[in-house]
Amino acid sequence: MKITSKIKQALEENRSFWSFEYFPPKTDEGVENLFERIQRMSGLKPEFIDVTWGAGGSTSDRTLEICTTAQSYQNLETCMHLTCTNMSKSKIDDALREAKSAGIQNILALRGDPPRNQEYANECETQFRYALDLVRYIRQEYGDYFCIGVAGYPEGLPESDSKEKDLDILKQKVDAGSDFVMSQIFFDPQLFLKFVEDCREIGITVPILPGIMPIQTYTSFRRLTNLCQIEVPTHILEILESIKGDDQAVKEFGVKFCIEMIQALRQGGVNGFHFCTLNLEKSVRLILEGCGFVEKQLTIIDGLAKNEAHLKAPILNDSLEGIILQNESWDEFPNGRWGDSRSPAYGEIDGYGASLKVTVQEALKLWGYPVDKKDISDIFSNYIQGQLKALPWSDEPLFAETDAIREKLADLNSKGFWTVGSQPAVNGVRSNDPVFGWGPKNGYVYQKAFLEFFTSPEELEKILVKFENNPYITFYAQNAKGDFKTNIEVEEPNAVTWGVFPSREIAQPTMIERVSFEAWGDEAFQIWNEWRMIYLPKSPSAKLIQEIADTYYLVNIVHNDFQDSDGIFTLFQ
Ligand code: FAD
C-alpha cells in the first residue's frame, strides 16, 4: 500500500501516526537481530518503516534484504531509500525491480553524496545528478506504481547557497511526481513549522513528515548533528554539556526533550512523526508512551532497566533473560565502530556509510595533493596534532582522552603508522571523570590500550616479530585483497573498555573482534578509494593513493595488560 494512502486514512480518522527509520547494520548477526527488533517494534504500530541506502549503493544488498523481509514476511508497509549518485544505473534498475517484485510500493528518492569528479562519471552520473532526475526516472519507468518521497531541509542544505533555492528545488521534485516529503532531523520545532509554512506558500501541498531523532548518547548526538550540520538551540547544548558525563541522564533528557518537541509540533497542527530510530528501541517506545500514543506497558524490559530484574525473575527463563539483557545493553551503550558487532545498531554513528563526508572542494582544501608517502604521514600527523580538522576516516577532532597519548601518536604517524583509531590504557578511573568517564554514576571504568593503523607490508613484518615476543599483544591485520593475519587462536570478543557500576553487571561497551574488524576493514579500504577519486585519474596523487590502497595493511593491536600505560608504544621503539 502507498504511504500516502495510509497518511490519508490516519488524517480522516483524526489520529496521530508515526513511522520508524532503520539503517542496515554492518554485520550479518546485526541484521538478524535487527529483524527481531523490527518485529518487536511493530507492536508500537508504526504506519510504515523505512530503511536507509548506503552512499554509492554500499549497503544495497542489506537494504534490499531488510526491506523485502519487512514487507513480505513481517507484513510492514515499507519504504526503501534509494540514492542515485556514485553508482551504476544498473544498481538503480535492480533495486527498483526487486522492490517491486517484493511488493514494496514506496521509495524515498535521494541524490546521495555530491557527484564525483567528472573524470570518474559513469552513465549514472551523467543521467542522475540530482534527486529530481531519479524522481523523473522512476515515474517514467514505473508510472504511478511507486509512491515517491523526497528529502526536505528545514534549515536548508549545508552545501546550498540559499534556502529559497532549496525550496524551489523541492517544489520541482514534487511537481515531477513526488508524493510526500520527509524532513531532515531538527531540534527546534519552530524551524520545522516555518518550513511547512514556506512550502505551503509556494504551492507544495503533499504531506511533509518531520524527522525526529531521539538523543541517545552525547557523542552520537554531537557526531550526527555535526555530520548533517544541524543547528542545536543553545539551551539544549547547555543542558547536554552539563549532563554529558552521565549517559543515563542524557538518554532521559533525550526522551523528555522529544516529547516536548512533539507536543509543540502537534500544537502547530502536525499529526505524523518520523523517527530516525538509529535501530534503537527503548527511547522511541518511551517517547511514544510519553506522548500518549501507545499504552504504557510495565514490561519486563522496564523492570530490568531499573535493576528490578529480581522482581520479574519468576516469569523469565534463562534464555529470555539473556536476550532482554542483551537488548538492554545494545540500547544503552554506543554501537559505533567498536561496539558489539551482534547489535542491531552496530555502526550507529557512521552516517550513510563509506564516503568522505566532505565535498570534493573541502577535501582538496584539507588534504591537498599528496605525491609521496611523507605527504600522507604529514596529513595524519597534522590531524593528530589538531592542525587539521578531519581525515578521510574521521570527520571530527580527536576525543580529549587522546591528549594522554597525543605526542606518541604523532610520532608513530610521522613514521608511517597512520592511525585511524586508538585508546590509552585506563586502570579504574571514576565513571564521572571528565576525560575517561562514561556510564552511570558512582562507578569505575577501565580500558586496554589499542591502536588501529594502516602500514606498509614491510613495516608490518618488522612489528610482527616484536609481537611474537610479547604475550600481552593480540592483533589482526588485513589488506584490501583479503590477506589476513592474526595471533589469536581461539576467537572471542576482546572487551577493551569495561565499567563496574553499583547494582549491575559489568558493562563492556567496546570490543575488538574479528567480525567487526573485517566489516570495518572493507569500509576503511573503500575510503582510500573515495579519497583517490577526488584527483584526476592519472595524476600523481591518484596513483599514490591507489598504490597504498592496493598494498597496505590495516592493523589492530590490543595491549591486554591494562596496567601498563606505555606498553603498546614500546613495541615501536
Ligand atoms: P537534491 O534534492 O538533489 O539536492 C541536492 C543539492 O542540489 C541541493 O543543494 C539542491 O538545491 C541542488 N539541486 C537539486 N536539483 C538541482 C537542479 N536541478 N539544479 C541545480 N541544483 C539542484 N543519504 C544516503 O546516502 N542514504 C540515505 O538513505 C539517505 N536518507 C536520507 C533521508 C532523509 C530524510 C534526508 C533528509 C537525507 C537523506 N540522505 C541519505 C542524505 C542525502 O542523500 C543528502 O542530504 C544529499 O546531499 C542530498 O540529497 P537530496 O535528495 O536532498 O538532493
Side-chain angles (χ1 to χ4, degrees), residues 178-341:
S178 312
D179 301 296
F180 66 98
V181 175
M182 206 175 257
S183 95
Q184 178 62 287
I185 53 167
F186 55 87
F187 293 93
D188 178 351
Q190 298 314 319
L191 263 178
F192 178 79
L193 294 173
K194 173 80 173 65
F195 172 66
V196 175
E197 201 182 302
D198 293 344
C199 288
R200 300 302 181 224
E201 227 162 70
I202 59 164
I204 296 173
T205 54
V206 298
I208 304 176
L209 300 175
I212 312 259
M213 190 190 79
I215 301 170
Q216 302 283 354
T217 64
Y218 179 78
T219 319
S220 67
F221 168 74
R222 285 316 303 255
R223 179 160 156 68
L224 281 169
T225 48
N226 284 342
L227 200 66
C228 306
Q229 297 187 33
I230 306 291
E231 204 176 296
V232 185
T234 323
H235 70 280
I236 294 170
L237 274 183
E238 280 168 4
I239 296 174
L240 283 170
E241 275 296 319
S242 70
I243 55 173
K244 69 180 179 188
D246 183 345
D247 290 353
Q248 189 57 33
V250 171
K251 269 196 184 35
E252 281 166 14
F253 170 74
V255 168
K256 186 170 153 280
F257 172 71
C258 261
I259 294 172
E260 285 167 9
M261 194 157 82
I262 289 174
Q263 277 161 354
L265 291 171
R266 288 177 86 187
Q267 276 167 15
V270 179
N271 288 332
F273 307 94
H274 181 61
F275 286 92
C276 301
T277 67
L278 298 178
N279 297 5
L280 300 170
E281 175 176 351
K282 194 171 157 192
S283 293
V284 172
R285 184 170 56 81
L286 292 175
I287 293 164
L288 290 175
E289 287 177 359
C291 291
F293 291 163
V294 299
E295 276 194 22
K296 181 153 173 49
Q297 351 151 349
L298 183 63
T299 59
I300 298 167
I301 297 178
D302 263 331
L304 287 168
K306 292 179 192 133
N307 295 313
E308 291 161 0
H310 57 286
L311 296 178
K312 303 282 169 191
I315 56 161
L316 288 176
N317 64 36
D318 281 355
S319 63
L320 180 57
E321 188 172 9
I323 289 167
I324 290 165
L325 280 169
Q326 204 166 44
N327 273 313
E328 272 297 303
S329 81
W330 287 334
D331 262 25
E332 204 161 349
F333 298 112
N335 287 285
R337 163 76 188 83
W338 287 286
D340 185 338
S341 67

Side-chain angles (χ1 to χ4, degrees), residues 21 50-56 81-85 108-114 129-133 136 150-153 157-162 165-167 169-170 172-173 182-185 211 274 276 352-353:
E21 177 176 306
D50 58 316
V51 184
T52 62
W53 180 267
H81 294 208
L82 182 61
T83 63
C84 61
T85 48
L108 187 69
L110 300 146
R111 181 192 66 180
D113 286 338
R129 284 192 68 72
Y130 302 111
L132 179 61
D133 303 320
R136 288 186 178 136
V150 286
Y153 300 83
L157 204 88
E159 73 184 63
S160 170
D161 327 326
S162 75
K165 182 183 156 210
D166 281 348
L167 273 178
I169 297 291
L170 185 58
Q172 288 184 41
K173 292 196 278 191
M182 206 175 257
S183 95
Q184 178 62 287
I185 53 167
H274 181 61
C276 301
Y352 298 113

